[in-house]
Amino acid sequence: MEDYLSQLNDSQKLPTIHKNGPIMVIAGAGSGKTRVLTYRIAYLMEMGVDPFSILSLTFTNKAAREMKSRISNIVGESKSKSLWMGTFHSIFARILRSESDLLGYSSNFTIYDTQDSDRLIATIIKELKLDKDLYKYKNIRNRISSLKNNLVTIKAYLSNQELIQQDNESRRPLFGKIYQTYVNRCFKASAMDFDDLLLKTNELLNRFPEVLAKYQERFKYIHVDEYQDTNHSQYLIVKALADRYENLCVVGDDAQSIYGFRGANIENILSFQKDYSNATVYRLEQNYRSTKNIVNAANSVINNNINKLDKEVWTENESGEKIEINQSITDSEEGRFVSTSIYENINNFQLDNDAFAVLYRTNAQSRSIEDALRRKNISYQVYGGLSFYQRKEIKDVLGYLRVIVNPNDEESIKRIINFPTRGIGQTTLDKLLVYANENNISLFNVLGSLNNIEININSGTKNKLNEFFLLIKSLQLLNIKLNAFEIVDEVLKRIGIINILKTEGTPESIARIDNIEELLNGMKDFIEGQEEVVGSNGSLNEFLEDVALASELDKDINETEKKVSLMTIHLAKGLEFNHVYVVGLEEDLFPSALSSTTRSDLEEERRLFYVAITRAKKKVILTYAKTRYRWGKLNDCEPSRFIDEIDKRFTNFNSYTNIISSEKAIDDNFIRFKKPKNKIKLKELKKTSPISIQSTNYIDINKGDLIIHNRFGKGKVLETEGTGPDKKAEVEFKTSGVKRILLKFAKYDIYN
């Protein structure tokens, strides 16, 4: 017993050996909360508590497995197997299977996942002959899920006029009918969805006092990890089960409560002492993860929140480097700054790619970071989602662009012919494909000949197909005179996808809009970058070639290779990295424009920023742009208020590069970087402002020189032509192929 307890500091040891009564462990970032929870359970078993009477609830299977494994190493696997340890959903499913007959279910009831629920709801909408654009199955599923997690059954919904009025105003007056049918179908199939596992457990404990008494007696010691993330339904179940013995241990950090949008209620942890007036509160305040500067900076930010529990996180680690704050002129330059910084750190200090993480507020922000890393030939992995150009809405828009350039691209036509929904079904498409194959003509030519050929398609559908054909033909004509940005802007207007997504109004649809906006921003950046490529006109064809290359490189990633991690801050919770870049620190982006109207929403955004900073062990780099493209237009940006909230003692404003304004960029047109050790020698790395300018400050290059280009990465000069700033060079780039660049516009450096 002494062996594992000796690994704890005094603050960790006290809650570990506290046996009876309610306790709350407020655990700061990197303070070893999992170790305390694990050792506490092991200690209880060592003290003679029956493992069958210990319940431990987690939010992930991974956390449960890791805790159980550690406990097994202390008390032995035979004892640890008897613990009731797992996620909320897995534990409650186990209880429900034992008591299912009381609720009218068989013990082997099916658990529907999200896809199962989506399919059933889509079927119900179709059977009721409802408008699929108004009654989108994912929106309906989200609405049902939210109601269930707030314990609003179908019966409660139908008796609540306020809720019914909300759906009437959302032009979904038959939502109640869908909810009722969905509940009936699930019950008929003896199936529960994930939300039912919480809802039905609450129902079971409320309706059957003898069942509640049974599980209160069984679970004499209850533990809840990440208590700040519990929703109302989970809170009520835990409270009911702990009501008899009150041997409840909750562990969490109010400063890391960032899932309000999922229904998590921070009041559960803030009000714990009101629920249990005899509770003992322990604080784990020593951080073992981060340097002093990182810990102190994070503290200075979170202290701006009013609704919080008192604690002061500290560390005995080294002071470390100050928080670096970098200002870029544009969001594209921000991406290049991040990639260059990572590149230099890797080469200067022989670090692996996986030492670095880039965190952002929204998934759409990954585009400029991905592009910049790819051009530096730095391997990366996007977590929690697809790489930018692999996302559905991006591939859908790119499908239109490919058909405009190449109308014989059958796969792209198949992708977009019913996107957005036009009422052109698979049966119609199959008929068109059969005719095209039998007559050895392209699918697009079939579409253009519908009025002159014999094909079994009704007149209404023919009209829709003709409209689609004419849409593509008109866009092809526009493509002759418009650049890539202008043509995609026209495509978006004509298909109306943005308005459709705005009407949906879900978090998913808002993320899709952000991604489409970022595609436009990327095109603007691409067109500006093409100014330095000889003979380029920023055409759609050139852009599609660039994207195709990017997509192909994504496929070639070696899965065993160490990579830079790219992810949203929400996804980064619980992880740690040596170097963390937090990008896009601008007002209305972070904090989000949607979260700045109420104190509670703003405080959650601040907690999200706190989580971002505390992921770092050694170094934090915060970046923001003075201007950022929004729908292809350059907008001025204001630095995030969170930057100002960091105590200036712990920050170093732009220590890595010199801040340059647009005016200084025009005058000087260069920026000096630190010289790396050993692997590469960098001279003055040129940077231009977003304004097209002709510079006399260029680096002369000759055949055989090796260069690093801001956009195209590493390359070898094959040939040169001309002299001075008007000199042109043909360069073979490792990741971008052969390009002819004009030195007076190019952004590059020589390396040996």
Side-chain angles (χ1 to χ4, degrees):
M1 186 184 301
E2 283 301 319
D3 189 30
Y4 67 89
L5 290 180
S6 64
Q7 299 175 29
L8 303 173
N9 64 33
D10 291 342
S11 297
Q12 293 170 331
K13 189 173 181 180
L14 289 172
T16 300
I17 62 175
H18 184 129
K19 185 176 180 183
N20 295 317
I23 68 171
M24 175 168 64
V25 182
I26 304 169
S31 62
K33 72 174 179 64
T34 303
R35 172 176 288 190
V36 168
L37 201 54
T38 301
Y39 288 2
R40 173 181 162 78
I41 293 170
Y43 179 81
L44 288 173
M45 294 167 69
E46 293 274 9
M47 295 297 291
V49 175
D50 185 348
F52 281 100
S53 68
I54 299 175
L55 170 64
S56 182
L57 298 167
T58 65
F59 273 86
T60 66
N61 287 312
K62 180 185 176 185
R65 284 194 300 268
E66 288 179 356
M67 287 173 61
K68 206 162 193 175
S69 175
R70 292 189 195 182
I71 293 168
S72 295
N73 292 336
I74 298 172
V75 302
E77 190 174 348
S78 59
K79 284 186 177 181
S80 66
K81 278 183 177 179
S82 302
L83 289 167
W84 282 67
M85 177 176 284
T87 64
F88 282 88
H89 290 92
S90 65
I91 293 295
F92 298 160
R94 185 174 169 186
I95 292 172
L96 287 168
R97 290 199 188 282
S98 297
E99 315 295 341
S100 56
D101 58 316
L102 294 172
L103 298 174
Y105 288 82
S106 64
S107 60
N108 59 347
F109 62 81
T110 301
I111 298 175
Y112 280 174
D113 61 18
T114 300
Q115 287 186 334
D116 295 324
S117 296
D118 283 347
R119 279 193 293 266
L120 176 53
I121 291 169
T123 299
I124 293 168
I125 291 169
K126 185 176 181 180
E127 289 174 356
L128 294 175
K129 295 182 171 57
L130 300 174
D131 186 334
K132 289 189 292 185
D133 289 330
L134 291 176
Y135 292 89
K136 293 184 180 293
Y137 64 86
K138 288 189 177 179
N139 294 1
I140 300 297
R141 185 244 301 153
N142 287 337
R143 174 75 163 157
I144 291 174
S145 175
S146 177
L147 291 171
K148 286 185 175 182
N149 281 317
N150 284 286
L151 305 181
V152 180
T153 62
I154 181 57
K155 184 178 179 181
Y157 173 85
L158 293 174
S159 62
N160 189 316
Q161 287 304 311
E162 184 179 345
L163 292 175
I164 292 172
Q165 184 60 30
Q166 287 175 8
D167 288 308
N168 287 338
E169 291 173 357
S170 300
R171 298 169 64 200
R172 294 183 302 206
L174 291 178
F175 169 80
K177 178 68 173 174
I178 300 171
Y179 189 6
Q180 178 76 74
T181 308
Y182 176 73
V183 169
N184 292 345
R185 293 280 178 87
C186 286
F187 184 74
K188 181 182 176 184
S190 194
M192 294 187 194
D193 62 25
F194 268 52
D195 301 310
D196 282 327
L197 297 178
L198 302 181
L199 182 69
K200 297 296 181 183
T201 301
N202 265 301
E203 182 183 343
L204 182 71
L205 300 180
N206 280 318
R207 282 180 55 195
F208 304 98
E210 69 279 10
V211 174
L212 174 59
K214 170 183 172 182
Y215 287 100
Q216 285 176 336
E217 188 61 34
R218 173 170 295 175
F219 301 133
K220 293 184 174 69
Y221 292 88
I222 300 174
H223 302 78
V224 184
D225 192 16
E226 305 287 9
Y227 191 64
Q228 77 279 352
D229 293 335
T230 52
N231 62 27
H232 184 59
S233 187
Q234 291 161 331
Y235 162 79
L236 290 176
I237 294 170
V238 170
K239 195 169 188 310
L241 291 175
D243 198 44
R244 176 169 295 186
Y245 290 99
E246 292 195 344
N247 292 326
L248 173 62
C249 171
V250 302
V251 180
D253 182 6
D254 60 299
Q256 297 186 66
S257 178
I258 58 174
Y259 295 117
F261 67 98
R262 291 184 190 168
N265 186 359
I266 192 173
E267 286 301 319
N268 294 346
I269 193 166
L270 295 179
S271 302
F272 186 80
Q273 288 172 276
K274 293 179 183 176
D275 291 335
Y276 302 94
S277 58
N278 59 331
T280 304
V281 178
Y282 296 98
R283 290 175 172 80
L284 305 183
E285 297 173 313
Q286 183 175 358
N287 179 298
Y288 290 92
R289 175 188 299 153
S290 308
T291 63
K292 283 187 174 72
N293 273 313
I294 293 172
V295 169
N296 291 334
N299 285 343
S300 67
V301 170
I302 205 64
N303 283 339
N304 286 277
N305 273 7
I306 293 174
N307 296 312
K308 64 181 188 296
L309 297 168
D310 291 332
K311 69 176 179 300
E312 188 68 26
V313 180
W314 57 277
T315 184
E316 290 183 345
N317 293 341
E318 63 181 359
S319 294
E321 296 184 55
K322 292 185 177 182
I323 305 287
E324 179 183 318
I325 301 170
N326 181 76
Q327 172 192 274
S328 298
I329 296 174
T330 67
D331 47 342
S332 298
E333 186 182 276
E334 178 184 55
R336 289 192 285 271
F337 162 75
V338 170
S339 66
T340 300
S341 173
I342 292 174
Y343 182 84
E344 287 199 338
N345 274 291
I346 288 171
N347 284 280
N348 284 352
F349 307 109
Q350 287 72 53
L351 301 176
D352 290 325
N353 289 345
D354 60 357
F356 303 90
V358 184
L359 309 182
Y360 33 77
R361 181 64 181 83
T362 66
N363 270 310
Q365 292 170 257
S366 79
R367 196 273 311 166
S368 61
I369 306 299
E370 288 186 65
D371 286 351
L373 290 173
R374 194 182 294 115
R375 287 161 186 156
K376 281 283 191 293
N377 201 27
I378 298 172
S379 295
Y380 66 88
Q381 175 72 49
V382 178
Y383 289 87
L386 297 167
S387 291
F388 184 80
Y389 293 110
Q390 297 300 317
R391 294 168 192 169
K392 180 187 181 302
E393 57 277 7
I394 300 304
K395 295 188 79 170
D396 288 337
V397 175
L398 291 177
Y400 273 93
L401 305 184
R402 289 192 176 108
V403 172
I404 291 168
V405 170
N406 174 21
N408 294 322
D409 183 346
E410 187 173 287
E411 289 305 310
S412 291
I413 291 176
K414 285 157 62 177
R415 183 178 192 96
I416 67 172
I417 197 166
N418 199 40
F419 171 81
T421 304
R422 296 185 174 88
I424 300 171
Q426 188 61 44
T427 302
T428 298
L429 183 56
D430 289 342
K431 289 177 182 178
L432 295 170
L433 290 168
V434 167
Y435 187 93
N437 292 332
E438 287 180 348
N439 293 276
N440 196 30
I441 60 176
S442 73
L443 178 57
F444 191 73
N445 283 338
V446 174
L447 293 173
S449 308
L450 285 176
N451 296 329
N452 303 315
I453 62 176
E454 291 293 326
I455 189 167
N456 185 23
I457 296 175
N458 65 53
S459 59
T461 303
K462 275 189 179 181
N463 288 336
K464 293 169 185 173
L465 292 168
N466 282 327
E467 288 172 4
F468 173 74
F469 176 80
L470 291 173
L471 170 65
I472 299 300
K473 290 297 287 184
S474 65
L475 290 169
Q476 286 176 324
L477 290 172
L478 287 173
N479 189 43
I480 296 171
K481 56 183 180 180
L482 301 181
N483 64 29
F485 171 81
E486 293 165 336
I487 193 67
V488 77
D489 191 40
E490 193 65 31
V491 167
L492 294 176
K493 288 175 184 174
R494 295 201 181 194
I495 66 176
I497 185 60
I498 301 301
N499 287 334
I500 292 170
L501 291 170
K502 282 181 178 176
T503 301
E504 287 185 26
T506 63
E508 293 85 358
S509 65
I510 293 170
R512 291 193 180 102
I513 292 173
D514 288 344
N515 286 334
I516 293 172
E517 177 186 356
E518 191 57 35
L519 176 65
L520 274 173
N521 300 341
M523 285 187 143
K524 202 74 169 179
D525 182 46
F526 171 80
I527 290 167
E528 289 184 354
Q530 290 299 96
E531 290 177 354
E532 63 189 86
V533 179
V534 178
S536 169
N537 58 3
S539 70
L540 183 56
N541 210 26
E542 290 174 350
F543 177 76
L544 289 175
E545 181 182 320
D546 196 63
V547 170
L549 179 62
S551 300
E552 200 59 36
L553 286 171
D554 286 341
K555 295 178 186 175
D556 292 340
I557 288 175
N558 181 348
E559 289 304 317
T560 62
E561 188 179 358
K562 292 180 178 179
K563 302 163 194 150
V564 175
S565 296
L566 273 61
M567 67 187 76
T568 63
I569 303 166
H570 281 100
L571 202 65
K573 186 170 175 288
L575 304 179
E576 58 182 40
F577 306 90
N578 282 334
H579 296 244
V580 170
Y581 295 78
V582 189
V583 300
L585 274 162
E586 298 137 35
E587 286 294 303
D588 295 337
L589 182 55
F590 194 14
S592 162
L594 299 175
S595 304
S596 302
T597 55
T598 68
R599 177 177 297 281
S600 61
D601 288 344
L602 181 60
E603 291 200 347
E604 178 152 324
E605 287 287 291
R606 188 175 286 112
R607 293 194 294 269
L608 190 61
F609 183 53
Y610 175 86
V611 167
I613 293 175
T614 55
R615 298 311 93 201
K617 294 196 280 188
K618 294 184 178 179
K619 187 169 184 178
V620 174
I621 303 94
L622 309 177
T623 77
Y624 69 93
K626 289 182 69 177
T627 57
R628 186 173 293 271
Y629 279 112
R630 294 286 169 88
W631 299 108
K633 294 181 180 179
L634 203 60
N635 292 299
D636 291 334
C637 299
E638 181 185 347
S640 170
R641 70 191 73 189
F642 298 150
I643 292 176
D644 287 335
E645 291 175 356
I646 305 174
D647 190 313
K648 300 302 181 286
R649 291 176 297 167
F650 312 121
T651 63
N652 190 354
F653 192 84
N654 211 65
S655 63
Y656 192 76
T657 63
N658 297 316
I659 295 292
I660 55 172
S661 65
S662 296
E663 293 76 20
K664 191 172 190 301
I666 293 172
D667 291 339
D668 298 345
N669 198 33
F670 74 90
I671 190 166
R672 189 179 302 277
F673 283 80
K674 295 177 182 176
K675 284 189 177 179
K677 299 173 184 175
N678 304 326
K679 292 195 177 181
I680 59 173
K681 293 180 180 179
L682 291 179
K683 298 183 182 179
E684 291 175 344
L685 185 61
K686 294 176 40 172
K687 283 197 175 184
T688 64
S689 77
I691 304 168
S692 294
I693 56 175
Q694 183 168 331
S695 170
T696 55
N697 295 317
Y698 73 97
I699 303 170
D700 193 24
I701 54 176
N702 296 292
K703 183 177 179 179
D705 283 347
L706 301 177
I707 70 169
I708 302 174
H709 189 278
N710 264 14
R711 292 185 62 237
F712 305 131
K714 290 182 180 179
K716 183 177 182 179
V717 180
L718 302 179
E719 297 289 346
T720 62
E721 175 187 332
T723 59
D726 292 321
K727 191 173 187 178
K728 300 170 185 175
E730 187 174 277
V731 184
E732 183 176 12
F733 292 100
K734 186 173 182 180
T735 58
S736 306
V738 177
K739 304 280 185 185
R740 294 192 75 217
I741 61 174
L742 191 57
L743 300 196
K744 66 182 176 183
F745 291 131
K747 310 175 190 73
Y748 63 91
D749 188 33
I750 298 174
Y751 77 96
N752 298 319

